[in-house]
Amino acid sequence: MELCWRKVLLLLIVSCSSGCVIVPYGAYTNSPIHSNSMAAEGQTATATQTSFQVRADRHAHTCDGDPHPPTTPKQRSDVLVLLALSGGGSRAAYFAGLSMLEMERFEGSQNGKRIDLLHEVDAISSVSGGSLAAAYYAVSYDPGQECAAPSKKAWTRESVDTLMSRNYIRHWIGNWFRPTNVARYWFTYYDRTDIMAKTFSSNLFDGQFNTDLTMGELNPLRPNLIINATSGTRLRMESGEIGFGEPFAFTDENFKRICSSISDYPIARAVMASATFPGVFNFMTLRYFHEKEYCQNRSPVYSDSERRYLHLFDGGNSDNLGLSSLRRVIWESLKKEDDGKGYIPYSKIVVILVDAFIPSLGANGKKPDPRSGFDFIVDMNFIDATDSLLETNRDRFLAMFSHKELFPFYANGESLAKNDCMWLFRGLDVQNCATPIAKLNQINREVAEKLEFVHIKFDKVPLVQSGCDDPNCLRNQLNRIPTSFKLGDERDSETGLDDHGAIKCAVPALFGRAEDKDARSACGKIVLETGSELVPELARVRTILSSP
């Protein structure tokens, strides 16, 4: 989410940004928590697949009449494997999708059984563009196991290559002119974000414009899916509501906080909520079903009968890496009491981050007036201001995982002060404020001992050996790909590759496959060095998965 959508903004400015609402329709699409729609339709997946608590009983689905016994997709139950997919529009979606395909090839073995890294993942946490790859993987099936996935979407190199690099902006703008959308946009609450959600639904998940695949229709063989957004709602401290700037993950736990059912919530809308870049898209809105008839035995958030809403925008504003939710997954996995072996019920914790970050450019220091022609219509310096805050937040989460300090609180005393607790447990369950400091310190040490952090990013792409005057030419091109839901089709003057080709060339080389025939053909005239600094990190993961 670092750069922006300057060409798209011009179209948005010409239009009325809020519409002229006459019919109060379409403000929210979530349903009360006691909805029986999913049970009535007999969907196979449950809300636990959208939870911070990983499923210990994840197993393969056996089709009716299939004579073969089910096989377990995950081989190492003693190793917690977590995957984070960063934001960054189509750049992030394509980078994440190709990296996940490489994770399938980066395999090990134990007791004669093949272990591939992707199938060992217990939970995927995604933001913005990364959510396209995460959600598609969660609903899709591996060839030969189509009966397990209600979506009937295949996870193949061809599908990933096509769907993660598709020009969604073009389809989005085209959908603006559907007669039904024109009427709803101008005369109801239906907005640009809703149109983009339908664009994702029809082009990525469902294939039909009037159908919506839901969070209850995930493939049960897949890992837990955690899609991240940010709350943009005004906070009332006395209400206990989800406050402004707080990370909001589309999980069973968070939907229970608003007394809503996540099982029948459309996947495309969750993905779009994660990608609602401010200035281009409107909020994605959920309703609090706090009334007693909806909350049943749960304590209502409000004592009055007035309706309340939760307005969400881009997940990158609170955490563009998706690591905050993985931090909570680790916390939720802990044992309540120390049994002498510690609090962590795993021999190892592997966290893999696929990071499509590109450095922000900022204003040109050689010009007295850095404005471009577009800035005379809307000053784009708010993008630089936002990026500076995002990079600071990004550095904080990277330091946390790189230095293996996930719960870093060292102080005198027995418990946490309220303000300290709110900082430490931001994005976690606030009930953890009662955790004794001694226990926090012990957990922090255990995590440090067992954590293996793998950071996959553009700066680790091997240098160019020949084909460019500058060995960094491929890295330079990757770091210029803007954040938008399309990839540029102009060829770079140095590499000779378009944005699609640059990413397709880089990813196999990151995983040590620079010399493979298919990888070499994707790079065109340039030849990459064979060494990759990422390979030793992945080799340690292979050793972990292959060890007795």
Side-chain angles (χ1 to χ4, degrees):
M1 120 157 219
E2 304 82 20
L3 293 176
C4 203
W5 312 59
R6 290 169 170 81
K7 294 180 181 178
V8 176
L9 275 175
L10 182 58
L11 174 64
L12 307 182
I13 293 164
V14 174
S15 67
C16 172
S17 62
S18 61
C20 303
V21 176
I22 296 175
V23 181
Y25 164 83
Y28 64 92
T29 55
N30 59 314
S31 58
I33 199 168
H34 66 255
S35 171
N36 293 320
S37 60
M38 295 301 297
E41 295 177 12
Q43 264 83 0
T44 56
T46 65
T48 56
Q49 200 166 339
T50 55
S51 171
F52 292 112
Q53 297 185 14
V54 300
R55 294 165 296 149
D57 60 344
R58 179 160 64 105
H59 59 279
H61 182 80
T62 303
C63 301
D64 294 338
D66 187 348
H68 300 94
T71 58
T72 303
K74 182 176 173 67
Q75 303 293 327
R76 294 298 303 264
S77 60
D78 62 318
V79 180
L80 180 65
V81 182
L82 306 174
L83 176 62
L85 305 178
S86 81
S90 290
R91 181 186 71 249
Y94 195 45
F95 187 43
L98 293 187
S99 294
M100 293 166 72
L101 289 171
E102 290 297 326
M103 288 170 62
E104 285 185 308
R105 302 182 61 154
F106 208 92
E107 60 190 44
S109 64
Q110 186 195 36
N111 299 326
K113 293 183 178 180
R114 175 185 178 273
I115 301 176
D116 80 57
L117 182 52
L118 186 59
H119 282 176
E120 293 301 303
V121 173
D122 293 284
I124 303 177
S125 173
S126 64
V127 186
S128 192
S131 294
L132 273 68
Y136 186 80
Y137 181 69
V139 304
S140 66
Y141 64 87
D142 293 330
Q145 297 180 331
E146 53 267 35
C147 62
S151 72
K152 304 307 178 186
K153 296 290 185 179
W155 176 260
T156 63
R157 290 191 173 271
E158 292 75 19
S159 64
V160 170
D161 188 77
T162 300
L163 296 174
M164 296 305 120
S165 62
R166 177 167 287 174
N167 186 339
Y168 290 102
I169 294 298
R170 183 182 63 198
H171 289 280
W172 174 55
I173 294 175
N175 286 333
W176 277 46
F177 299 99
R178 286 176 173 263
T180 54
N181 284 343
V182 171
R184 284 189 290 185
Y185 180 79
W186 289 105
F187 301 112
T188 74
Y189 292 120
Y190 198 78
D191 57 28
R192 298 187 298 271
T193 301
D194 297 311
I195 296 174
M196 191 61 165
K198 278 295 185 181
T199 301
F200 284 147
S201 178
S202 59
N203 285 276
L204 184 60
F205 298 116
D206 305 318
Q208 299 179 16
F209 197 80
N210 294 320
T211 59
D212 286 308
L213 200 65
T214 67
M215 299 290 275
E217 296 176 285
L218 304 179
N219 183 344
L221 279 70
R222 297 306 198 202
N224 283 20
L225 175 65
I226 304 172
I227 297 175
N228 298 279
T230 303
S231 171
T233 312
R234 186 180 302 127
L235 173 66
R236 297 197 318 169
M237 293 300 294
E238 73 278 5
S239 70
E241 68 183 41
I242 298 167
F244 179 80
E246 181 179 336
F248 181 87
F250 281 78
T251 62
D252 187 46
E253 293 89 345
N254 279 340
F255 266 61
K256 285 178 179 176
R257 292 176 68 184
I258 61 174
C259 298
S260 182
S261 168
I262 195 172
S263 293
D264 49 2
Y265 192 77
I267 293 172
R269 295 187 70 84
V271 170
M272 190 58 232
S274 182
T276 50
F277 188 90
V280 180
F281 296 110
N282 308 101
F283 288 110
M284 181 68 75
T285 298
L286 303 176
R287 179 185 163 185
Y288 279 94
F289 290 96
H290 59 276
E291 298 91 341
K292 290 183 179 179
E293 64 266 29
Y294 297 130
C295 272
Q296 298 176 348
N297 297 327
R298 294 175 176 81
S299 299
V301 176
Y302 300 101
S303 58
D304 57 43
S305 59
E306 183 181 0
R307 284 192 178 185
R308 294 292 198 281
Y309 301 93
L310 177 64
H311 303 292
L312 303 172
F313 57 91
D314 199 299
N317 290 78
S318 54
D319 172 18
N320 203 38
L321 300 175
L323 291 176
S324 59
S325 284
L326 294 190
R327 184 168 170 254
R328 177 162 179 180
V329 170
I330 293 172
W331 181 267
E332 294 292 341
S333 74
L334 301 175
K335 293 179 290 186
K336 293 183 179 179
E337 301 294 336
D338 185 352
D339 60 359
K341 298 180 181 179
Y343 290 99
I344 300 176
Y346 297 99
S347 61
K348 288 288 184 181
I349 300 172
V350 176
V351 175
I352 301 169
L353 168 62
V354 181
D355 182 7
F357 168 80
I358 61 174
S360 302
L361 298 177
N364 190 338
K366 296 181 179 180
K367 291 184 177 181
D369 185 352
R371 290 178 296 176
S372 64
F374 192 85
D375 290 307
F376 286 90
I377 302 173
V378 175
D379 201 320
M380 303 302 295
N381 61 5
F382 79 92
I383 300 296
D384 294 329
T386 301
D387 287 346
S388 66
L389 296 175
L390 294 183
E391 291 191 23
T392 299
N393 208 25
R394 174 180 183 273
D395 291 342
R396 181 169 69 89
F397 280 109
L398 282 179
M400 190 180 293
F401 278 79
S402 297
H403 298 294
K404 302 182 180 181
E405 293 277 347
L406 269 63
F407 307 102
F409 198 91
Y410 306 99
N412 296 322
E414 297 180 356
S415 61
L416 297 174
K418 182 178 180 179
N419 289 340
D420 293 331
C421 178
M422 294 303 292
W423 176 86
L424 180 61
F425 290 107
R426 184 174 176 84
L428 304 183
D429 190 335
V430 294
Q431 295 180 355
N432 296 323
C433 290
T435 304
I437 290 178
K439 178 177 178 178
L440 283 174
N441 290 340
Q442 182 179 347
I443 292 171
N444 194 53
R445 288 192 297 269
E446 284 190 41
V447 170
E449 292 171 358
K450 297 184 177 183
L451 178 64
E452 185 70 42
F453 180 57
V454 179
H455 190 182
I456 303 173
K457 57 180 180 176
F458 291 144
D459 287 346
K460 292 186 178 181
V461 172
L463 298 175
V464 172
Q465 189 176 61
S466 63
C468 284
D469 294 333
D470 183 358
N472 287 290
C473 61
L474 181 58
R475 292 183 182 180
N476 293 339
Q477 180 179 357
L478 293 168
N479 283 323
R480 288 193 299 266
I481 301 175
T483 299
S484 178
F485 281 113
K486 67 173 185 177
L487 293 174
D489 53 11
E490 294 183 3
R491 293 185 179 274
D492 183 82
S493 59
E494 291 187 279
T495 66
L497 302 171
D498 59 13
D499 292 345
H500 174 276
I503 299 174
K504 195 170 186 178
C505 170
V507 173
L510 274 169
F511 285 78
R513 294 200 310 112
E515 292 185 325
D516 284 14
K517 181 179 179 181
D518 292 340
R520 178 68 188 87
S521 64
C523 292
K525 69 174 185 177
I526 64 173
V527 177
L528 301 182
E529 294 181 357
T530 56
S532 170
E533 61 179 291
L534 183 64
V535 170
E537 298 178 36
L538 290 170
R540 290 195 294 271
V541 173
R542 175 185 282 160
T543 299
I544 290 171
L545 296 178
S546 302
S547 62

